[in-house]
Amino acid sequence: MGQYTQTLNPPKTLIPKLPNPNPSFSSFKTPKPKSKSFPTLSVSAMAAQNQPPLDALLNGTRKQELLGAIGTSLSNCLSETNLHLTVPGLKSKIRGKVRDVYDSGDYLVMVTTDRQSAFDRILASIPFKGQVLNETSLWWFDKTRHVTSNAVVSVPHENVTIAKKCSVFPVEFVVRGFVTGSTDTSLWTVYRSGVRNYCGNVLPDGLVKSQKLPANILTPTTKAADHDVPVTPDEIIERGLMSQADYDEVSRKALSLFEYGQRVALEHGLILVDTKYEFGKGQDGSIHLIDEVHTPDSSRYWIAHTYEERFRNGLEPENVDKEFLRLWFKDHCNPYEDEVLPDATEELVRELSWRYIFLYETITKSKFKMPSTEEPIHDRISRNVAQALSSL
């Protein structure tokens, strides 16, 4: 891959009713301070009727097959792209936390890389992560057309989506169904500090971590410098960030998307805990869902059939997203203030990559297809994008 081959860790920057239990997951191991351990996800085999397909993904040869492929790809992650240098007609590059976005004039070319972000910083590169995020989003974009239109135009590569240009609303619509989280803006963090009115939502006393909220809530955020800032609906209108009509439409869409996502996730043995959506207006004035939807980067997912027991026992729910990565870094450093963070261990990177693939296969009920290695990935992306743009 030449100049596009990156090291394992790139430079860092500053409830609906739950189903009855069938097989049971083994307990997470709580990492001790400064240890290199982290909670692993596993399942114990039990002779139960109607055993969910999660068991097949968590046991046996599939996990070992994936871990083997992940191990051979640790030094071959897509951590950076430079399509503006290799694809004619691309005018500029915007490097986001995870996505590299290119302007082709009429469309945007969005490349989902393997960069892993949290705490507003890049923490590592995770094999196959970009492909998982892009293909998970595409699956959800297709399934949610009855709720809202989206900006997807074509998909020339597993990591790439070509999208309509939209005027993006400067507000992220975060929808939450549970009191949880470990970041500064998470609901549990602010609730534990005494906040009882958050983003216009009045919260009752007595809630505990991981508890289901009486109803799903919207907690919008807006950007300030390089971090998210909570904002109320009234403030969104007063600051001119959105019109009242646009806010009303988008908030309805966001809540409907989340309710549908929760229903589908539960059918597949998972709980969609919270997520964030971004929307924009097309040239015709219609509002589209953009960026990503219900991915393990933008969402928290828990294993459904162990939630209630673990909640009763005061244990963290078993998660299938990057929350365990956040917890690992908070256990080993101050990720908001420390100038230099510890490297994510190889074991941690392997586990996160597997969890992302596990989520994709669980949600979509399809087998994750390993990318071809016959041609350097950047060369293949460049060729496919150039061909796709020429046909639009």
Side-chain angles (χ1 to χ4, degrees):
M1 291 178 64
Q3 63 178 310
Y4 304 110
T5 301
Q6 302 293 319
T7 58
L8 179 64
N9 294 297
K12 302 177 183 67
T13 62
L14 291 182
I15 215 170
K17 184 178 180 181
L18 297 175
N20 292 327
N22 280 323
S24 62
F25 283 72
S26 66
S27 297
F28 279 101
K29 299 175 182 177
T30 302
K32 298 178 181 179
K34 303 303 179 184
S35 72
K36 292 298 182 181
S37 65
F38 58 90
T40 57
L41 197 60
S42 61
V43 69
S44 60
M46 292 180 63
Q49 292 183 344
N50 301 320
Q51 192 169 357
L54 297 181
D55 184 37
L57 293 174
L58 287 160
N59 275 328
T61 60
R62 182 56 178 159
K63 181 176 181 179
Q64 297 309 312
E65 175 189 351
L66 290 171
L67 287 174
I70 291 165
T72 61
S73 301
L74 289 171
S75 62
N76 203 31
C77 293
L78 183 66
S79 298
E80 198 71 43
T81 65
N82 290 288
L83 298 188
H84 58 303
L85 304 179
T86 59
V87 177
L90 293 187
K91 301 175 182 179
S92 63
K93 171 186 175 180
I94 298 176
R95 186 182 191 271
K97 295 175 186 175
V98 174
R99 288 170 182 79
D100 293 339
V101 182
Y102 300 89
D103 188 344
S104 74
D106 294 327
Y107 304 98
L108 293 179
V109 177
M110 300 185 295
V111 185
T112 309
T113 72
D114 296 330
R115 297 192 296 265
Q116 181 64 60
S117 70
F119 308 107
D120 298 314
R121 303 172 75 158
I122 305 301
L123 301 179
S125 289
I126 310 297
F128 311 125
K129 183 204 165 193
Q131 180 180 340
V132 168
L133 294 188
N134 197 50
E135 293 186 338
T136 301
S137 279
L138 291 169
W139 189 88
W140 280 109
F141 277 132
D142 181 62
K143 298 297 182 183
T144 57
R145 292 180 187 275
H146 66 288
V147 179
T148 182
S149 60
N150 60 68
V152 176
V153 173
S154 69
V155 186
H157 182 273
E158 298 94 337
N159 291 66
V160 183
T161 295
I162 298 178
K164 302 172 186 176
K165 275 189 173 180
C166 292
S167 176
V168 180
F169 295 117
V171 176
E172 290 187 348
F173 283 75
V174 182
V175 189
R176 306 179 188 273
F178 294 76
V179 185
T180 191
S182 58
T183 63
D184 284 354
T185 57
S186 72
L187 187 55
W188 174 242
T189 300
V190 298
Y191 185 86
R192 184 175 54 179
S193 70
V195 174
R196 293 297 180 269
N197 192 317
Y198 190 52
C199 300
N201 299 285
V202 178
L203 303 171
D205 290 328
L207 297 178
V208 297
K209 190 177 185 184
S210 304
Q211 184 171 348
K212 187 180 184 299
L213 291 165
N216 296 330
I217 62 172
L218 269 174
T219 59
T221 63
T222 187
K223 294 289 184 182
D226 60 352
H227 62 281
D228 299 332
V229 178
V231 62
T232 68
D234 288 343
E235 290 170 335
I236 291 173
I237 309 306
E238 291 167 1
R239 296 180 189 178
L241 302 177
M242 299 178 71
S243 70
Q244 186 68 60
D246 287 343
Y247 176 82
D248 290 344
E249 180 178 348
V250 171
S251 60
R252 285 195 301 269
K253 289 177 181 290
L255 287 167
S256 295
L257 284 166
F258 189 67
E259 181 182 356
Y260 176 75
Q262 284 188 310
R263 188 162 65 248
V264 172
L266 193 57
E267 291 171 356
H268 296 190
L270 300 172
I271 298 172
L272 178 59
V273 178
D274 52 40
T275 195
K276 67 178 179 68
Y277 305 108
E278 295 189 52
F279 293 86
K281 266 192 175 182
Q283 293 182 352
D284 61 356
S286 59
I287 292 177
H288 303 298
L289 178 64
I290 63 171
D291 195 45
E292 62 182 323
V293 55
H294 298 165
T295 72
D297 256 20
S298 65
S299 316
R300 285 186 179 86
Y301 284 93
W302 293 339
I303 301 298
H305 69 266
T306 60
Y307 164 73
E308 288 186 336
E309 181 179 357
R310 296 184 68 85
F311 176 69
R312 285 195 304 269
N313 294 327
L315 299 173
E316 286 285 332
E318 295 180 299
N319 63 77
V320 196
D321 50 58
K322 65 180 182 180
E323 180 65 11
F324 87 105
L325 180 79
R326 295 188 190 101
L327 295 173
W328 187 92
F329 273 93
K330 291 198 77 172
D331 184 51
H332 290 76
C333 62
N334 184 331
Y336 287 108
E337 298 181 5
D338 292 353
E339 184 175 346
V340 178
L341 303 185
D343 286 337
T345 66
E346 184 175 306
E347 186 183 11
L348 189 75
V349 169
R350 288 174 187 259
E351 176 73 12
L352 187 59
S353 179
W354 174 75
R355 288 187 190 212
Y356 273 39
I357 296 173
F358 164 78
L359 178 66
Y360 169 81
E361 295 191 344
T362 302
I363 287 291
T364 67
K365 295 191 180 298
S366 60
K367 189 174 182 179
F368 179 75
K369 183 179 179 182
M370 294 294 169
S372 170
T373 57
E374 295 179 359
E375 180 182 13
I377 187 171
H378 197 280
D379 293 350
R380 187 156 52 94
I381 288 175
S382 298
R383 185 185 71 253
N384 290 6
V385 168
Q387 291 175 349
L389 289 175
S390 67
S391 66
L392 293 176

